[in-house]
Amino acid sequence: MCGITGYIGYKNADKVLFDCLKRLEYRGYDSCGIALVQSDGIKVIKDTCRVKELEAKHKKVNSKIGIGHTRWATCGEPTAANAHPHSSCGDKVAVVHNGTLDQFIPLKEDLINKGHVFKSETDTEIIPHLIEENMKTMSADDAVKKALGTIQGAFAVAAIVQNENKLYVGKVGCPLVIGVGDSECYVASDSSALSKYTNRFIYLKDHDTAVLTPDSIKLFRNGKETEPEIELLDKNLNDAELHGYPHFMLKEIHEEPRVITTTIDDLDDLATLLATIDKDLGGIRMIKTLACGSSYYASLMMRYLAPQILGIPTFAELGSEYCSLTKGQKGTLAIAISQSGETADTIKAAKAAKANGYKLMAITNVKNSQLARAADYVWTTKAGPEVSVAATKTVLSQIAALYSLILAHPSLSKLNKEDAMDTFRKLPDQINKIFENVDSIISVASYLADFKDAIYIARGLNYPIALEGALKLKEISYIHGEGYAAGELKHGPFALLGKEVPVIAIVSHDENYDSLVTNLREVKTRQAPLIAISEENDLTISNLADYVITVPHTKPILSPILNLVVVQLLAYYTAVKKGNPVDFPRNLAKTVTVE
Ligand code: F6R
């Protein structure tokens, strides 16, 4: 959580910093600030507002070096004093920090005893004071390096020092990337925030520190100066612009047909990776998935698919609840799924599984993420950067990757594979059809927007989509939504049904159809408004439901992908109707780096 950025070069730093902060706001947005090196000292401006509001208040400053921060409060409430940057006495050093520091109280007390005066409740504020204290006996370069070696916990830090034309950075356990320009350097928590400025990046590793000037990058790895490795990123895969869409969420949903196509294009590479895993494990005999939030709902798909199609027992675990009590046996594979690859609970569970003897595969949208680095095998979903806090195209990319794992498995017969591929290839056009018929979703969203509660139901493979639909509804439309396996309704939730609680049913045209129709009749008997997401021309459903949103016909096994798109659009248009801040829902941050 929290986004950090920095700039050193020939451009006006304030303009660059505000621009980058706007792209990092998905990481937290309860307060923000920038600090700029000027001839007469360091100027800090910060407040509890959104970046564009701070930018409007700021009077332009001629400075070519600065740092910026957008916050999701962890240590200290969201107040102006707790907002970053934090500075030392007399604003000689300013620092921005993403992460949480352990055992900072003794360090703070020691600094107070030495005469340092603190202005905030944050852990971060010890860093500029430590640097300033160190500078009494050493150069600024050494003082920063020493301070970053003293603090403990998780951090990505950028610092500036008065009278030093340098930008200092370092990290342990939180992401940080340097963007390389011509006679300029950028820093950010992720590369997509810098996509407008450069496609050349240096991904810092844990315990790296670096000293940047407009023309040089001195990288220290484990204390030794090391030649930095520059990676070139495909601009299209790093694109984080709105391109005319009113919200990133809508833009990202509209990228979903492309995500399916990319997944299909990569199928041979995935088959090669799977063959390696299969060989290393002597055949996959059991799968355990580890994930949180929407990624957990995506992982639930594997619990249905792998046993049904491949006969491999599969267990889906929440990262935050994983009890690493069982030892991995021969042939057991843990698959950790995380779009950001930085979710603390998922990483902790993945590391625990590995320590217990599981081979670890990571499915993530961020190639150089912590999760990717911890894993034995990595599959990168190429969904491209996702800015909206509510995950959409990345969830679809995870589900598509899990389907691909099934398709790529050597035990699937050639005939079954070809048949499934034909259906898979039709999905992008079918998703576009859903976009063409969006009016029916918009009108249901307008109706839904007046309710306080809603219940999603489904059976079998579509049950994870019901859970995800309810989560999306809560997250951005602030309607209390619950997802239930339809058969479970009568085991308690029935008590809630009535005119004020609509039920949204995802109808699967498979072996569960008849039981689901029985459940829908039960719902109608309790007078709950019924909205059905169903295939076209289903008279039984259109006679039963008050509203029907139709989806194109596909094989039942792939229907969750089309239904996922519908539940995402339904949540989106409901939130729009309510006038909510769709991309930045209250109290949330996209990357959850705390347990
Ligand atoms: C919901 C959402 C979250 C994330 C969860 C895990 O829209 O985005 O529930 O899915 O925080 O994040 P990752 O996938 O980055 O591990």
Side-chain angles (χ1 to χ4, degrees):
M1 351 269 269
C2 300
I4 71 171
T5 187
Y7 176 75
I8 184 161
Y10 56 88
K11 296 183 182 126
N12 279 337
D14 49 4
K15 192 164 183 294
V16 175
L17 296 172
F18 282 126
D19 180 51
C20 292
L21 285 180
K22 282 180 212 151
R23 291 152 205 272
L24 289 168
E25 270 190 311
Y26 71 87
R27 300 179 70 88
Y29 35 88
D30 56 42
S31 51
C32 59
I34 62 167
L36 302 160
V37 175
Q38 292 188 269
S39 51
D40 57 347
I42 291 176
K43 178 187 164 83
V44 178
I45 71 154
K46 55 185 187 176
D47 210 342
T48 48
C49 61
R50 298 292 296 272
V51 175
K52 68 171 187 267
E53 288 154 8
L54 190 72
E55 187 179 22
K57 280 194 239 171
H58 164 73
K59 285 202 190 78
K60 275 196 192 120
V61 160
N62 184 19
S63 167
K64 312 295 176 201
I65 311 172
I67 52 177
H69 190 270
T70 177
R71 183 166 189 247
W72 189 87
T74 46
C75 185
E77 281 178 30
T79 61
N82 289 335
H84 298 215
H86 289 285
S87 51
S88 65
C89 313
D91 291 348
K92 289 193 191 101
V93 180
V95 166
V96 287
H97 164 217
N98 164 212
T100 42
L101 300 183
D102 302 333
Q103 293 157 6
F104 69 96
I105 302 285
L107 283 171
K108 185 169 174 175
E109 281 167 358
D110 186 42
L111 287 160
I112 291 171
N113 289 336
K114 287 178 176 149
H116 291 260
V117 178
F118 282 75
K119 295 168 276 196
S120 79
E121 304 158 289
T122 64
D123 48 357
T124 306
E125 200 185 345
I126 64 160
I127 308 172
H129 288 281
L130 266 180
I131 297 173
E132 196 193 21
E133 187 59 30
N134 293 343
M135 276 167 56
K136 289 180 182 162
T137 55
M138 59 188 80
S139 69
D141 290 20
D142 289 340
V144 176
K145 214 189 288 175
K146 186 168 175 209
L148 296 186
T150 305
I151 55 176
Q152 287 175 34
F155 60 85
V157 162
I160 48 177
V161 176
Q162 190 182 335
N163 300 328
E164 297 285 339
N165 287 333
K166 291 173 182 169
L167 182 58
Y168 298 93
V169 291
K171 70 151 239 144
V172 176
C174 292
L176 195 61
V177 62
I178 299 171
V180 185
D182 294 325
S183 299
E184 55 179 356
C185 288
Y186 302 83
V187 172
S189 299
D190 86 41
S191 59
S192 61
L194 307 176
S195 61
K196 179 168 152 188
Y197 301 105
T198 182
N199 65 345
R200 293 186 289 153
F201 296 102
I202 300 166
Y203 291 91
L204 293 193
K205 297 202 163 113
D206 282 352
H207 304 286
D208 281 358
T209 59
V211 183
L212 316 179
T213 69
D215 299 304
S216 68
I217 296 168
K218 264 193 186 178
L219 175 68
F220 298 92
R221 185 152 293 157
N222 303 318
K224 271 201 191 145
E225 194 171 343
T226 312
E227 192 57 37
E229 269 172 48
I230 299 182
E231 283 190 37
L232 288 185
L233 265 199
D234 181 338
K235 246 190 168 338
N236 292 328
L237 287 181
N238 205 26
D239 173 38
E241 303 292 321
L242 269 171
H243 295 300
Y245 284 94
H247 298 104
F248 280 105
M249 183 174 176
L250 189 62
K251 179 204 167 209
E252 286 156 6
I253 294 172
H254 276 255
E255 285 169 353
E256 293 184 328
R258 199 262 304 144
V259 171
I260 297 281
T261 311
T262 310
T263 310
I264 294 171
D265 290 347
D266 284 351
L267 203 63
D268 287 348
D269 292 344
L270 185 60
T272 309
L273 178 67
L274 192 60
T276 308
I277 300 175
D278 215 48
K279 190 162 156 244
D280 291 354
L281 269 67
I284 301 169
R285 293 186 201 158
M286 198 262 268
I287 296 173
K288 197 160 254 198
T289 61
L290 307 165
C292 296
S294 295
S295 297
Y296 170 70
Y297 297 144
S299 79
L300 283 178
M301 299 297 301
M302 200 61 172
R303 197 188 66 179
Y304 288 91
L305 293 169
Q308 268 177 32
I309 304 176
L310 305 177
I312 301 177
T314 301
F315 304 89
E317 308 252 10
L318 280 167
S320 55
E321 288 293 322
Y322 177 54
C323 313
S324 53
L325 297 178
T326 50
K327 289 261 172 238
Q329 307 291 329
K330 191 170 162 30
T332 51
L333 178 68
I335 306 181
I337 304 173
S338 167
Q339 76 81 19
S340 62
E342 302 291 342
T343 299
D345 286 324
T346 304
I347 292 171
K348 191 172 170 197
K351 286 185 175 165
K354 213 175 150 181
N356 256 339
Y358 287 82
K359 282 283 182 189
L360 177 65
M361 177 184 193
I363 297 182
T364 176
N365 200 39
V366 181
K367 197 175 144 199
N368 289 289
S369 59
Q370 277 205 73
L371 181 65
R373 287 199 303 273
D376 301 299
Y377 315 100
V378 181
W379 183 251
T380 314
T381 51
K382 294 189 191 141
E386 189 172 65
V387 177
S388 178
V389 166
T392 53
K393 63 173 177 173
T394 57
V395 182
L396 183 121
S397 75
Q398 293 164 345
I399 293 178
L402 293 174
Y403 274 103
S404 303
L405 268 180
I406 303 286
L407 280 172
H409 196 272
S411 75
L412 201 70
S413 79
K414 200 165 173 258
L415 211 63
N416 282 344
K417 213 171 273 187
E418 276 166 11
D419 189 34
M421 281 309 297
D422 282 347
T423 317
F424 213 144
R425 281 196 196 93
K426 289 189 185 126
L427 289 174
D429 283 346
Q430 292 180 316
I431 296 176
N432 280 321
K433 259 219 157 99
I434 294 174
F435 297 155
E436 282 163 26
N437 297 328
V438 76
D439 284 354
S440 64
I441 299 179
I442 295 174
S443 74
V444 174
S446 302
Y447 170 70
L448 206 55
D450 291 331
F451 290 93
K452 286 199 167 59
D453 307 277
I455 292 180
Y456 261 102
I457 58 168
R459 278 177 175 261
L461 265 177
N462 278 292
Y463 169 50
I465 308 303
L467 294 171
E468 173 62 3
L471 177 66
K472 285 284 102 79
L473 207 57
K474 278 184 233 192
E475 203 179 1
I476 58 163
S477 75
Y478 308 155
I479 291 174
H480 168 232
E482 295 296 338
Y484 284 103
E488 285 297 297
L489 268 193
K490 51 180 140 349
H491 298 292
F494 256 23
L496 295 174
L497 294 190
K499 286 189 180 133
E500 5 17 84
V501 183
V503 172
I504 310 166
I506 303 175
V507 181
S508 31
H509 289 79
D510 55 15
E511 68 283 1
N512 294 311
Y513 180 81
D514 291 340
S515 336
L516 187 72
V517 170
T518 306
N519 299 140
L520 299 193
R521 292 212 168 92
E522 292 160 355
V523 166
K524 280 308 292 174
T525 312
R526 270 91 197 158
Q527 299 190 331
L530 180 62
I531 298 162
I533 301 171
S534 172
E535 279 185 8
E536 295 136 327
N537 307 323
D538 185 333
L539 276 181
T540 311
I541 296 299
S542 47
N543 287 335
L544 258 176
D546 301 294
Y547 290 90
V548 182
I549 298 171
T550 56
V551 284
H553 168 77
T554 184
K555 284 207 163 48
I557 194 151
L558 284 171
S559 66
I561 294 191
L562 298 180
N563 293 329
L564 176 69
V565 181
V566 174
V567 302
Q568 292 171 345
L569 286 167
L570 191 54
Y572 170 78
Y573 284 109
T574 308
V576 169
K577 173 78 184 169
K578 292 183 74 174
N580 291 355
V582 174
D583 286 333
F584 302 103
R586 68 184 172 214
N587 301 337
L588 297 178
K590 189 153 187 77
T591 313
V592 186
T593 54
V594 286
E595 284 170 27

